[in-house]
Amino acid sequence: MSDVLQQLADILEQRKQEPADKSYVASLYAKGLDHILKKIGEEATETVIAAKGGDKQQIVYETADLWFHTMVMLADQGLKPDDVLAELQRRFGLSGLEEKAQRSKNK
């Protein structure tokens, strides 16, 4: 995993223990999962709008916000970026159509 992702994951874990008035991340945890998910939805929409606008710097900025809030959700759920990276690694060599079909069978 990238050093930046690992460092961020470590900080997100630390913030669970901090008072919400001292940390933005702690305030997200304090407001609960629904609030965190709302933030992901907002950031996803802003990322789509940035991509439609074609401003590369804005796309990077909004994608960083989306990734950040998604990592907060992962940490809230007791997951780590490595869990997602392992799933992406598992999918290597599979066609997207095959992978999707396998998921459908397992439901």
Side-chain angles (χ1 to χ4, degrees):
M1 175 174 26
S2 141
D3 287 343
V4 171
L5 290 179
Q6 185 59 57
Q7 290 170 359
L8 180 55
D10 292 344
I11 290 169
L12 294 177
E13 281 299 317
Q14 291 170 0
R15 295 296 191 264
K16 286 182 179 182
Q17 310 308 317
E18 292 186 12
D21 63 339
K22 303 276 184 189
S23 161
Y24 172 68
V25 172
S27 74
L28 289 173
Y29 291 136
K31 291 175 185 173
L33 181 61
D34 285 345
H35 184 76
I36 295 168
L37 297 176
K38 180 181 173 200
K39 288 300 297 178
I40 292 171
E42 290 170 5
E43 298 304 342
T45 300
E46 291 172 6
T47 301
V48 169
I49 292 168
K52 289 289 286 181
D55 179 332
K56 292 189 184 323
Q57 185 55 45
Q58 193 65 25
I59 294 167
V60 168
Y61 179 85
E62 296 300 346
T63 301
D65 283 351
L66 177 58
W67 287 14
F68 174 83
H69 287 90
T70 300
M71 287 185 63
V72 171
M73 179 270 302
L74 289 171
D76 182 70
Q77 297 296 300
L79 296 166
K80 299 191 178 301
D82 277 342
D83 298 316
V84 177
L85 294 173
E87 174 59 18
L88 290 172
Q89 181 65 44
R90 183 192 69 78
R91 294 180 187 186
F92 265 89
L94 286 176
S95 91
L97 297 174
E98 281 179 52
E99 194 280 324
K100 189 172 182 176
Q102 284 179 357
R103 274 191 282 157
S104 296
K105 287 180 190 176
N106 293 334
K107 286 185 179 181

